[in-house]
Every structure is written in C-alpha cells, then in structure tokens.
Amino acid sequence: MKVHSFLSLGCADGPGVRSVLFLQGCCLKCAYCHNPDTWFLPGFTEISSREIAERVAKYRPYYGKTGGLTVSGGEPLIQAEELTELFSLLSEMKIHRAIDTSGFCPSLSSGVLSRLLSVTGLVICDIKFSDDAGYQRYCNAPQGAFERIMSFLSSVQDAGCDIWIRHVVLPGITDNIEYISSVFERALAFKSLKRFELLPFRTLCRQKYESLGIEFPMKDTPDCTQEKIQQLYGQIKAGFPAGRDKIP
Ligand code: SF4
C-alpha cells in the first residue's frame, strides 16, 4: 500500500482508542485541506497489507472493546483493493476497522466497493458542502461530485456499515445555522448514521503549504472557535430534536 504515515494511538478518528493509517493520494484538492502532503504520489512508502496488519496487531491491547484501526488519507478509497486485503486480515484478528473518507473516488467500481464494505465496520465521511456548487468551488471537484458522494453513502448504508458524518465549519462560508442544518438534514437521511460531528477550521497547516511551495487558498481565513462549534451544536439540537442523539 502507498502509505503516508502511521499514528500508533489516538482517540480523535473513530470510536475508542485507535491507530490511524494515512494513505497517499487524493481525488480532490480542498481549499482548506490539512494534509496537502498526501496529495501527491511521490514520497510515499510502500508497505504490504500483511506488514501493516502485523504492526496494527501489536497495539491490540490498547484498543479495548471499541477501538481498532482507522484508515485515512489522502483518500483511502483510491487503494480500495489493498484496503480490502488489509481489512480482511484485521477482521480475522477481530480488530475493528474504519475508513475516514471524502466519499469521492470516481475510479472505484461498485464491485470493488462492495467487497471493501463487506469487511468494514464504520465509514466516517466528511460532507464538505451540501451541494455541488460548494464542491466545485472549494474542492476542485467535477460536476456531479456531491451526488456521487450521496450515492456512495447509500451503498455504505445498504452494506450495513455504521456511518459517522463530519463537517469542517468554515468561517464566512458554512458557519451559519442555515448551512449547517442543510448538511445535518442530508446526514440524517442515512438510517445508519451514528454520529454527526462539526470540526473547526484551523490554519495550523499553513507551514505545510509553505514548505511544499503551494498557495494555501484560505490562509487569511480566521480559525473557527470552539464557542462557535458549541453554538451551532446547540442550534441544531434545538431545531432537530429527533436528531439529537447523533450529536456528541
Ligand atoms: S479530501 Fe481530504 S485529503 Fe483530499 S484534499 Fe480534501 S481535505 Fe485534503
């Protein structure tokens, strides 16, 4: 597999204590991406699925009942076949498996996706915008990307995997309750939705862009505050009483 990096233990990317494997390569170029160093294929480390599974198994005592491995990126779906191999090995070891994805990977066939989902427990999907225009403007996505992502999530639901939806709140763009409600409404349409999370936009990644010599399109946008996130959660809870249990 084309690996960017491996985080031994963390608790921010899925349930419980987890290892996180970051894969190289992505199908989008989001204006606020925190990992621009995963966009390009040169510079990756090639590691076999079996080697990764053996490394993950060493951390098993820390995972407890709910933890396991989350595969993030970049875009993990680009390497769906290798990922299926890895997840099959982890499934035999009874280690929980999650994918953190944008849900957008045009080259992915339905057969390959279906095999991957059959060995996946949880899909964490970042819904970046609630319409195609946002994806085209801020993610360099082609026309129709949003509907492809919705269709991907329908496949995830049909395969019986749990779904978490995340949204990065962008000051001046999506940091208002009308916009967040439109994202939450789309998320609630999926019956296997278990969690809806708002993440604050941060400019911490500015140095990464500088060192890569890439323009950071949102370098002048202020960070989103935790107060703003809490305010938006409160407004969603007030406006969607039936969806409260999905919000942390
Ligand atoms: S999908 Fe994720 S990794 Fe890819 S550009 Fe967007 S934020 Fe970055």
Side-chain angles (χ1 to χ4, degrees), residues 23 25-36 38-39 72-76 100-104 126 128 135 138-139 168 209:
L23 297 182
C26 191
C27 312
L28 297 174
K29 276 203 175 68
C30 303
Y32 56 91
C33 180
H34 259 234
N35 298 321
T38 63
W39 291 352
S72 183
E75 178 48 67
D100 181 2
T101 173
S102 71
F104 181 71
D126 299 319
K128 299 165 192 303
Y135 275 92
Y138 295 104
C139 301
V168 177
Y209 281 86

Side-chain angles (χ1 to χ4, degrees), residues 136-228:
Q136 285 182 51
R137 180 164 179 195
Y138 295 104
C139 301
N140 198 33
Q143 200 172 4
F146 180 68
E147 284 315 318
R148 271 178 182 266
I149 292 162
M150 292 299 108
S151 157
F152 163 77
L153 283 170
S154 295
S155 302
V156 172
Q157 175 170 266
D158 294 347
C161 305
D162 288 342
I163 297 177
W164 285 19
I165 300 287
R166 289 174 157 179
H167 171 77
V168 177
V169 178
L170 305 172
I173 302 172
T174 71
D175 64 340
N176 59 81
I177 188 57
E178 291 75 23
Y179 202 94
I180 298 301
S181 295
S182 70
V183 178
F184 189 48
E185 251 177 291
R186 296 307 297 239
L188 279 181
F190 298 102
K191 290 192 175 51
S192 43
L193 179 76
K194 294 287 184 284
R195 193 175 170 103
F196 179 79
E197 282 185 330
L198 298 174
L199 307 177
F201 165 79
R202 297 267 191 247
T203 48
L204 272 176
C205 53
R206 191 183 284 141
Q207 276 182 339
K208 273 192 196 174
Y209 281 86
E210 282 169 11
S211 65
L212 290 165
I214 305 172
E215 169 80 12
F216 180 23
M218 294 186 64
K219 63 178 185 306
D220 297 324
T221 304
D223 284 5
C224 177
T225 62
Q226 272 307 332
E227 291 70 28
K228 185 68 185 177

Side-chain angles (χ1 to χ4, degrees), residues 55-71:
R55 189 185 297 189
V56 170
K58 289 185 193 155
Y59 296 97
R60 198 183 191 162
Y62 299 97
Y63 297 153
K65 287 190 180 149
T66 52
L69 176 72
T70 297
V71 180

Side-chain angles (χ1 to χ4, degrees), residues 48-142:
S48 73
S49 305
R50 185 161 293 279
E51 268 180 276
I52 296 169
E54 283 165 5
R55 189 185 297 189
V56 170
K58 289 185 193 155
Y59 296 97
R60 198 183 191 162
Y62 299 97
Y63 297 153
K65 287 190 180 149
T66 52
L69 176 72
T70 297
V71 180
S72 183
E75 178 48 67
L77 296 179
I78 295 177
Q79 300 184 60
E81 288 180 85
E82 296 85 347
L83 195 47
T84 304
E85 203 177 299
L86 170 64
F87 278 8
S88 301
L89 292 168
L90 296 180
S91 170
E92 285 166 19
M93 298 176 193
K94 303 209 178 323
I95 293 175
H96 184 262
R97 303 144 320 271
I99 305 171
D100 181 2
T101 173
S102 71
F104 181 71
C105 183
S107 61
L108 186 63
S109 74
S110 59
V112 172
L113 175 61
S114 148
R115 283 192 287 283
L116 172 60
L117 293 176
S118 72
V119 284
T120 301
L122 166 70
V123 171
I124 304 169
C125 184
D126 299 319
I127 294 190
K128 299 165 192 303
F129 295 93
S130 59
D131 57 29
D132 217 43
Y135 275 92
Q136 285 182 51
R137 180 164 179 195
Y138 295 104
C139 301
N140 198 33

